[in-house]
Amino acid sequence: MDDMDDMREIIQEFLAESLENLDQLDNEFVALEENPTDHEILSSIFRTIHSIKGTCGFLGFEKLEKVTHAGEDVLGLLRDGKLMLNTEMASTLLTMLDTVREMLKTIESTGTDGDDPHSTLVEKLVEFKNTENTQPAETKEPVTEEASADTETPAEKASPEPTDDTQTVKEATAPKPAKKKSKKKTAKTTSKDNTKTFQLDPKDPHAAETLRVFQAECLEHLQEFEKRLKPQAANSNAIDYAGLFRAIHGINACASRIELKPLEKLSSAVENLIAALRDEEITNNATIAETLNASVTSLKTSIDNLGNLPDEAEKNHAKLIERLNLLSLGENAVPEPPAPEKSSTPQESKNDAGNTTAATIDSKPGTSTPPVEYIRVDVNLLDNLVNLVGELVLARNQITQYTKNFQDRMLLGACQNLNLITSELQQACMKTRMQPISTVWNKIPRVVRDLAKSAKKQVTIDMSGKDTELDKSLLEAIKDPLTHMVRNSVDHGIETPEKRTAAGKNPEGTLSLRAYHEGGQVFIVISDDGAGIDSNKILNKALEKKLITEDQAKAMNDNEIAQLIFMAGLSTAEKVTNISGRGVGMDVVKTNIEKIGGYVNIINKPGQGSTFIIQLPLTLAIIPTLMVRSGEQNFAIPQVNAHKLIRMKGDQGKNCIEMVHGAPVYRLHGNLLPLVLLNEQLDLEKIASEKSVQIVVVQANHNRYGLVVDEILDNQEIVVKPLSEYLKPLSMYAGATILGDGSVALILDIAGLAQHAGVLSESLQHAVDKDGNELEIHNNENERTMLIVKSEFGGRVAILLDDVIHLKKFHVNEIEFAGHQRLVQYRNGIMPLISISATLEERRKTPREELDTSKHKDKQLFPVLIYKVNGHYVGLEVGEIIDIVNADATITGVTSRKGAIGTIVTQGQVTELFDINAFFELAESIVNSQEPNRTAAPGESLPL
Amino acid sequence: MNQSKQICTFYLDNLYLGLVAERVQETSRNHNITPVPLAPRVISGVMNLRGRISTAINLDELLSLEKQKENQRTANIVIRTENNELLNLLVDRVDDILEIEDQHFEYPPETLSSEVRGLIQGAYKLEKNLLLLIDHKSLFKRISQITKLKNQKEIIH
């Protein structure tokens, strides 16, 4: 029973490890294809396959063993330079990987390796193996390999810069062989003697971390090895060679992973010896036992010192390896027993981080370092832990708030302690869930490789910031959107080599992925140097699908057009490929990213490529929000949605909300911003004073609107909690959170609220003109935007706003006089003011000046419509503005006075339509009368 | 041998009601309810239950009782739904957990109004009074029906 459990555990471990290794293999294969002779990659791939093969032989999965064996043979030949990798071979090997993965999954679910012997695949692999003789033998030397690579692979010839690793930042250095994890490594020396080269830079904190992990792992293996070695003395038959093999193999794998050559060599020699013993090719004897013991000491020294051995030790090392090799060949005649290495030889500190630990261990070679220990933990356990800590934080908040009322020093002290500990606990807890983004990125090179192959494109990937950490749940959430965007970039963005050459670009496209932290957020940037997004194509498609109107289309710039790709139902792929172009794509990406509190943006440079910028919070659970109050309740607005805050007090506040067709609007930088009154939408009582108006300008899915709240409170980081299923139908809430005082606040869903309030559809109809300050609605041919002002005796006069450049309020003190002409300074010039009553004949004879000034007396500011006449600004002074409306300008009645064209009906009331032409005539005459003076005496004030 | 059930009993107006105790997670006196604007009236709001958000249910509304001010319901019974969500049923007073034998059970009397009858599984004839057992499954169903209906109405408007 125990054995069964043991077995199951071994299988589980084997599966987990193999699957992890396979993911890495995917990338290595892609790298290999670009650099087909790279010995290190080949060795690494070989080792992984070899170890899968070995273990499944041991576990009795024959079919899997057969497949991996066939693969291993080919890889072995490739590694030894007896075969040259070509595309077909690479594809077959990748198929082998997929098959192995599939089989592993079958083992996972059924416990057997399936029924399909995959004979075609095996045959194909065997075929490759048999072609060995037809190919020239190559030496293992990397330098010569590089030379041969040049002649054999045109891809490499085309790009003089070597593509080292798929995941590597390109370093502008001399050609060097590919290596994995090279971001963490310093450039490899070109020296042939690389036995001593130590690749990781211990000053790099990440590398130091890797090294610690490595040391811990190796020492663990070594302890295991030593333990299993012990009974050897008593009864040599009882030794568990398989266990020994696993342990030493583990060390070997670790060493090769971080490219610690000496250790790798030594452990692999020991491994061979053990394998020979296991397979009963040789029999155990005292010499072997002694040598093995010496090896253990050597290995320990090597691990402790991270392979940087003093020369003397190294010599011993080499001798030991030699002996091991001889022994494993069954040759017992060993000249001299090796002197156990003196590891206490003081070392020169070549690397700080590595050797500080090493030095302390040196003094006591017998004891092992207290290794940094790692355990595998169920993610659910961590999730639960994080939740509990979240609750603890809330409880802490309650207590700290409650204890504010107490004077007890002890209590306050204890609370402060609790406060600090909780914060630290929270941080530590969050850290447990952080993972580097490379866990997601690792899949990308394979995706790109397959895609590029099928689309006949050449793409290199350039990654930086692989170690950027973010919450595991976030990583899960962005996995699919990220893959989709990468696919898009390769499929739509990067052109075929022919097109690229024609456009004067490098035939090989570059896809770059960058990740970094900034301002408490994570940024992921995906950019390609492809064709970018064709604005016209997008526009036409959007128009065709009626996603936008013609007028909207005209007003859009390149970037705004590019944003359209995030709209549902827009696909521009000329033909639907099996990769992308089904029209469900970027909108889903956007929704998914926004769902996790993120934000995605696109920068489009037609002809030069496109860049997607994803902005994410560090963790899913905590988001920054803006707290507002409406009625008696507090609401949270996610910061990603809040763009601007507007607070208006007093008169300003009273007048700043205007009505268009009964819909409230606010003028923001000359554009009309639709307003949503939160109180009204949520049926809440309004409590704030009428005078002060507070607006949060929010945006969701290209819909920008102003949310009028009773009070804008403060920014708060909140923990998002889901609402009950029963409340899901209420789309205006995104969730809830618990505030410091223990009460619950609802989180507003800005997009949902827009939908509820109907701003969504409205804002699509009402395109806001960028430069003007009017809202155009083209429902009716004759419908125009007009300003309704009060005429002298309470009547209404409508002025068409078609030619207005600007609407500005001037202060009465700004008025200057030149004779009878009223002037104000405007845009570094002097602008004559014409009162509306100048062309509008008065009904009763009232002195004009008196009327105007009396109007301005109680109102310090007066509105002026600014027009441009013959290149000069002219201001039309209007009295009190009643409203801005869109109304039918069809004249329905005659007017009784000059200066008005006729009467129309606006808002159900009779309104005189101002004769704008009469005003223009007058304005022209005034401007013209100024003209000669201006040319005659520039800079002087203008006499009139 | 007679089977029996554990039933958590409580008062709501003049009704003596009960819920199967295994559904009841806890009872509490927390009445700090945050109203959810626009939610149907059966949902009084949301509450903080040790860091989890639970939904406060207005039982009066569900059982079509005479309208009373909600804040008079000072006690609440926390139950778990099938989806492991928490609901706070607002009641007047939590009474006890009784072990009642099934033989006292009887199907709901005809005199109960039709809305209520759907939610009442039956009555236990106790010595002093009648205990009406609330059928939690129909309770959940009813709430979700109401909330969905409300949503549909909104779409039409």
Side-chain angles (χ1 to χ4, degrees):
Chain A
M1 197 59 208
D2 253 11
D3 277 0
M4 281 295 285
D5 278 351
D6 262 5
M7 196 65 177
R8 213 170 296 145
E9 209 170 283
I10 291 172
I11 293 179
Q12 276 308 322
E13 219 164 271
F14 159 67
L15 288 174
E17 202 180 312
S18 301
L19 284 171
E20 256 168 46
N21 286 341
L22 279 178
D23 283 348
Q24 185 57 40
L25 274 193
D26 265 346
N27 289 343
E28 289 181 339
F29 261 113
V30 178
L32 186 67
E33 229 180 327
E34 285 162 12
N35 209 345
T37 51
D38 192 286
H39 188 249
E40 277 174 52
I41 302 180
L42 276 167
S43 310
S44 162
I45 296 172
F46 178 80
R47 268 194 305 274
T48 311
I49 294 294
H50 174 77
S51 106
I52 294 176
K53 189 204 88 174
T55 321
C56 59
F58 168 70
L59 294 171
F61 298 122
E62 281 172 26
K63 293 175 195 94
L64 182 55
E65 192 189 357
K66 219 170 232 170
V67 172
T68 42
H69 186 86
E72 186 194 355
D73 282 346
V74 176
L75 284 166
L77 292 172
L78 284 168
R79 183 188 57 175
D80 300 343
K82 290 178 182 150
L83 264 183
M84 209 53 220
L85 187 76
N86 57 33
T87 315
E88 197 195 345
M89 213 182 283
S91 295
T92 315
L93 286 171
L94 280 172
T95 320
M96 181 201 73
L97 286 193
D98 291 340
T99 313
V100 169
R101 191 176 281 134
E102 227 168 76
M103 289 172 101
L104 287 172
K105 285 196 176 133
T106 320
I107 293 173
E108 198 170 15
S109 52
T110 64
T112 68
D113 54 353
D115 303 323
D116 186 0
H118 300 279
S119 42
T120 33
L121 178 68
V122 174
E123 270 166 35
K124 212 166 178 190
L125 286 167
V126 172
E127 212 172 281
F128 283 129
K129 184 186 146 197
N130 293 339
T131 55
E132 173 207 347
N133 299 331
T134 62
Q135 295 215 4
E138 311 254 352
T139 56
K140 275 196 204 172
E141 201 53 58
V143 181
T144 44
E145 266 172 33
E146 211 113 65
S148 66
D150 269 353
T151 55
E152 301 236 14
T153 53
E156 201 168 14
K157 226 196 259 174
S159 59
E161 204 178 351
T163 12
D164 22 13
D165 186 327
T166 47
Q167 311 155 9
T168 317
V169 198
K170 277 193 179 157
E171 290 158 280
T173 50
K176 57 187 180 237
K179 50 192 187 278
K180 52 179 186 164
K181 292 190 179 177
S182 56
K183 210 225 148 209
K184 291 178 181 172
K185 290 159 205 162
T186 52
K188 197 180 155 186
T189 53
T190 42
S191 128
K192 283 182 195 172
D193 170 38
N194 53 11
T195 46
K196 215 177 163 182
T197 323
F198 175 52
Q199 313 279 343
L200 288 175
D201 179 7
K203 279 173 198 139
D204 176 358
H206 288 300
E209 171 75 19
T210 314
L211 286 176
R212 273 202 302 281
V213 176
F214 157 76
Q215 273 184 325
E217 216 175 316
C218 276
L219 285 173
E220 239 168 67
H221 284 305
L222 195 61
Q223 271 169 10
E224 176 83 12
F225 188 80
E226 230 178 331
K227 203 176 83 193
R228 288 184 193 271
L229 207 53
K230 264 180 193 151
Q232 199 166 8
N235 181 0
S236 59
N237 292 330
I239 294 177
D240 172 15
Y241 287 118
L244 273 176
F245 182 80
R246 272 206 301 277
I248 191 67
H249 183 78
I251 297 177
N252 188 3
C254 286
S256 68
R257 204 178 306 146
I258 69 156
E259 293 179 18
L260 207 52
K261 286 279 170 190
L263 184 60
E264 193 188 337
K265 280 198 174 159
L266 181 58
S267 55
S268 119
V270 177
E271 192 184 326
N272 287 339
L273 180 61
I274 300 283
L277 283 168
R278 183 192 59 182
D279 301 344
E280 292 173 3
E281 285 164 16
I282 53 170
T283 44
N284 195 5
N285 58 33
T287 327
I288 292 179
E290 204 174 304
T291 317
L292 282 177
N293 280 327
S295 310
V296 170
T297 323
S298 251
L299 282 170
K300 194 174 274 166
T301 325
S302 201
I303 293 168
D304 288 348
N305 297 327
L306 295 166
N308 290 317
L309 296 176
D311 286 347
E312 193 193 331
E314 204 171 293
K315 242 180 246 161
N316 281 337
H317 217 119
K319 270 185 204 155
L320 190 60
I321 293 171
E322 210 170 288
R323 268 162 48 81
L324 283 164
N325 288 339
L326 286 174
L327 282 172
S328 52
L329 292 173
E331 283 177 44
N332 241 330
V334 181
E336 52 178 305
E341 270 178 56
K342 290 275 187 299
S343 52
S344 49
T345 328
Q347 289 192 26
E348 209 182 309
S349 218
K350 279 178 209 154
N351 41 45
D352 307 343
N355 267 4
T356 35
T357 41
T360 49
I361 302 156
D362 275 352
S363 54
K364 275 189 262 165
T367 59
S368 59
T369 356
V372 183
E373 283 178 32
Y374 287 83
I375 49 167
R376 280 177 194 244
V377 185
D378 185 354
V379 175
N380 290 328
L381 200 65
L382 281 185
D383 285 350
N384 199 14
L385 196 63
V386 170
N387 276 341
L388 285 172
V389 169
E391 282 175 34
L392 180 65
V393 169
L394 294 166
R396 185 266 324 259
N397 291 354
Q398 269 169 290
I399 286 198
T400 38
Q401 214 152 54
Y402 184 65
T403 47
K404 268 182 199 157
N405 311 324
F406 288 83
Q407 299 296 323
D408 191 332
R409 270 170 187 275
M410 288 292 279
L411 179 68
L412 291 177
C415 273
Q416 199 172 10
N417 232 343
L418 175 73
N419 197 351
L420 282 173
I421 294 168
T422 315
S423 299
E424 271 175 39
L425 182 64
Q426 190 188 15
Q427 276 173 12
C429 236
M430 287 297 173
K431 247 191 167 163
T432 60
R433 293 170 48 89
M434 299 296 253
Q435 282 192 314
I437 196 160
S438 55
T439 51
V440 172
W441 279 7
N442 277 343
K443 307 249 180 324
I444 287 178
R446 172 79 191 270
V447 170
V448 170
R449 183 248 177 215
D450 288 356
L451 210 53
K453 278 265 140 47
S454 74
K456 299 202 170 51
K457 289 176 183 174
Q458 292 173 11
V459 185
T460 54
I461 308 174
D462 179 15
M463 292 179 175
S464 69
K466 275 173 51 176
D467 302 316
T468 310
E469 286 189 324
L470 58 168
D471 194 278
K472 187 176 161 48
S473 46
L474 274 176
L475 278 175
E476 293 281 303
I478 59 157
K479 199 161 77 190
D480 289 342
L482 206 62
T483 316
H484 189 92
M485 285 159 102
V486 166
R487 286 181 163 194
N488 259 355
S489 282
V490 177
D491 198 34
H492 298 279
I494 293 173
E495 317 93 321
T496 55
E498 298 84 55
K499 272 193 195 163
R500 290 184 66 89
T501 321
K505 294 192 215 175
N506 184 342
E508 197 172 40
T510 305
L511 178 73
S512 91
L513 295 173
R514 280 192 297 141
Y516 53 93
H517 286 277
E518 195 180 286
Q521 292 205 304
V522 180
F523 286 78
I524 303 170
V525 182
I526 304 162
S527 58
D528 63 68
D529 62 351
I533 292 161
D534 187 340
S535 299
N536 287 330
K537 221 189 232 171
I538 299 261
L539 267 188
N540 291 338
K541 203 82 186 182
L543 286 170
E544 185 189 305
K545 301 230 163 129
K546 300 213 163 56
L547 295 170
I548 51 163
T549 65
E550 293 268 357
D551 296 296
Q552 279 176 310
K554 270 177 213 151
M556 286 176 138
N557 62 28
D558 270 357
N559 260 335
E560 280 170 318
I561 293 166
Q563 303 290 342
L564 287 174
I565 64 165
F566 292 121
M567 286 178 101
L570 190 102
S571 169
T572 51
E574 271 152 17
K575 55 176 195 271
V576 173
T577 66
N578 60 358
I579 303 141
S580 42
R582 288 200 181 85
V584 281
M586 295 311 285
D587 63 312
V588 180
V589 166
K590 190 182 163 80
T591 336
N592 283 347
I593 289 173
E594 278 174 359
K595 213 183 277 168
I596 51 172
Y599 184 74
V600 57
N601 200 5
I602 176 171
I603 299 167
N604 180 34
K605 286 186 191 149
Q608 294 173 42
S610 48
T611 302
F612 290 91
I613 301 166
I614 306 174
Q615 200 177 328
L616 294 171
L618 269 182
T619 64
L620 242 191
I622 297 178
I623 59 165
T625 57
L626 177 74
M627 297 299 299
V628 299
R629 188 180 57 76
S630 239
E632 280 172 331
Q633 259 180 279
N634 290 350
F635 295 92
I637 299 171
Q639 282 286 3
V640 280
N641 294 121
H643 282 240
K644 195 186 278 257
L645 306 180
I646 301 165
R647 264 181 242 232
M648 295 285 219
K649 290 235 165 94
D651 276 357
Q652 246 186 326
K654 212 185 284 174
N655 297 325
C656 75
I657 298 181
E658 293 165 282
M659 303 298 278
V660 175
H661 271 300
V665 294
Y666 172 79
R667 286 183 223 188
L668 180 69
H669 308 312
N671 293 331
L672 288 189
L673 181 74
L675 291 182
V676 171
L677 309 173
L678 194 57
N679 293 305
E680 213 171 78
Q681 290 303 325
L682 300 184
D683 288 333
L684 295 167
E685 268 173 58
K686 190 174 168 69
I687 289 183
S689 69
E690 283 293 321
K691 275 183 183 170
S692 137
V693 171
Q694 312 212 10
I695 303 171
V696 185
V697 181
V698 290
Q699 185 162 7
N701 302 330
H702 309 298
N703 285 298
R704 183 182 270 239
Y705 61 93
L707 191 62
V708 182
V709 298
D710 289 348
E711 198 179 348
I712 294 168
L713 303 168
D714 54 354
N715 290 323
Q716 263 186 40
E717 304 250 309
I718 59 160
V719 181
V720 181
K721 309 255 173 180
L723 282 173
S724 152
E725 279 298 317
Y726 300 132
L727 293 168
K728 283 279 150 69
L730 299 173
S731 59
M732 58 292 278
Y733 306 117
T737 188
I738 293 163
L739 301 178
D741 62 356
S743 69
V744 181
L746 294 162
I747 304 166
L748 293 177
D749 183 324
I750 293 306
L753 189 63
Q755 210 157 20
H756 177 74
V759 242
L760 242 176
S761 49
E762 238 166 88
S763 64
L764 281 176
Q765 272 175 38
H766 301 195
V768 176
D769 183 353
K770 274 260 162 213
D771 306 311
N773 51 359
E774 66 259 74
L775 201 66
E776 286 177 59
I777 304 170
H778 289 271
N779 292 343
N780 183 327
E781 275 290 297
N782 233 341
E783 193 166 282
R784 309 280 280 277
T785 307
M786 49 190 99
L787 187 73
I788 311 289
V789 296
K790 261 189 196 161
S791 69
E792 314 93 291
F793 302 104
R796 288 159 64 97
V797 176
I799 305 166
L800 293 177
L801 288 179
D802 293 356
D803 300 311
V804 175
I805 287 168
H806 200 61
L807 192 153
K808 191 175 179 341
K809 284 186 174 171
F810 288 93
H811 198 270
V812 275
N813 294 344
E814 286 178 83
I815 300 177
E816 290 167 58
F817 284 90
H820 284 292
Q821 180 59 48
R822 295 147 58 84
L823 304 162
V824 286
Q825 293 193 12
Y826 178 72
R827 291 196 185 168
N828 304 326
I830 286 172
M831 177 172 76
L833 291 179
I834 303 171
S835 168
I836 186 169
S837 40
T839 55
L840 203 61
E841 189 190 61
E842 298 121 56
R843 291 233 172 74
R844 284 174 213 165
K845 300 281 173 202
T846 331
R848 194 173 299 159
E849 296 305 320
E850 217 172 284
L851 179 101
D852 286 338
T853 42
S854 69
K855 211 189 286 168
H856 293 154
K857 244 175 209 162
D858 49 296
K859 244 185 163 188
Q860 299 280 293
L861 291 170
F862 62 100
V864 174
L865 297 176
I866 297 159
Y867 291 88
K868 212 163 192 179
V869 180
N870 289 355
H872 295 272
Y873 293 112
V874 179
L876 175 63
E877 254 184 278
V878 294
E880 198 178 327
I881 293 176
I882 301 173
D883 208 345
I884 293 179
V885 297
N886 284 284
D888 192 342
T890 315
I891 292 165
T892 51
V894 286
T895 179
S896 53
R897 57 171 166 171
K898 265 190 192 164
I901 308 169
T903 59
I904 57 170
V905 179
T906 58
Q907 295 175 321
Q909 283 177 275
V910 174
T911 312
E912 283 179 293
L913 187 61
F914 181 69
D915 184 356
I916 199 79
N917 290 329
F919 160 76
F920 276 135
E921 274 168 35
L922 179 63
E924 220 166 304
S925 69
I926 291 174
V927 167
N928 288 344
S929 70
Q930 288 176 358
E931 197 74 5
N933 291 323
R934 181 170 278 179
T935 43
E940 277 179 32
S941 64
L942 306 172
L944 256 172
Chain B
M1 216 189 100
N2 270 320
Q3 292 216 315
S4 64
K5 274 197 184 83
Q6 284 200 329
I7 293 179
C8 174
T9 64
F10 56 91
Y11 291 96
L12 183 72
D13 260 11
N14 47 9
L15 287 176
Y16 188 46
L17 298 163
L19 270 164
V20 182
E22 61 192 33
R23 272 283 155 192
V24 177
Q25 173 175 307
E26 63 187 274
T27 63
S28 90
R29 291 196 155 271
N30 177 358
H31 51 266
N32 192 354
I33 301 176
T34 302
V36 178
L38 305 181
R41 281 215 304 255
V42 289
I43 292 176
S44 299
V46 283
M47 305 173 78
N48 168 14
L49 196 80
R50 287 191 308 282
R52 284 191 63 177
I53 304 283
S54 87
T55 312
I57 299 295
N58 183 351
L59 260 191
D60 300 56
E61 185 73 30
L62 263 182
L63 297 174
S64 327
L65 298 178
E66 279 294 299
K67 221 189 161 177
Q68 294 235 4
K69 282 248 168 177
E70 276 154 36
N71 54 16
Q72 286 181 334
R73 310 283 181 219
T74 51
N76 48 68
I77 295 178
V78 183
I79 57 174
R80 273 178 192 280
T81 70
E82 279 100 339
N83 302 331
N84 221 8
E85 279 180 15
L86 298 178
L87 298 183
N88 277 42
L89 304 181
L90 305 181
V91 302
D92 283 335
R93 183 161 65 85
V94 179
D95 185 46
D96 204 351
I97 294 203
L98 302 177
E99 179 105 25
I100 310 176
E101 287 179 7
D102 282 354
Q103 59 177 4
H104 298 300
F105 183 79
E106 207 161 280
Y107 285 99
E110 296 293 315
T111 45
L112 277 177
S113 76
S114 58
E115 291 109 325
V116 182
R117 211 185 308 147
L119 295 173
I120 302 292
Q121 212 169 342
Y124 285 99
K125 298 160 287 178
L126 303 183
E127 267 176 42
K128 286 178 280 180
N129 48 9
L130 270 182
L131 170 66
L132 297 178
L133 182 67
I134 292 182
D135 178 3
H136 55 263
K137 276 186 194 149
S138 2
L139 185 84
F140 302 149
K141 215 193 252 169
R142 179 71 65 86
I143 301 169
S144 103
Q145 270 171 359
I146 292 172
T147 49
K148 274 184 194 141
L149 195 71
K150 159 105 179 166
N151 188 42
Q152 272 161 10
K153 270 187 196 155
E154 228 149 60
I155 290 166
I156 295 164
H157 281 307

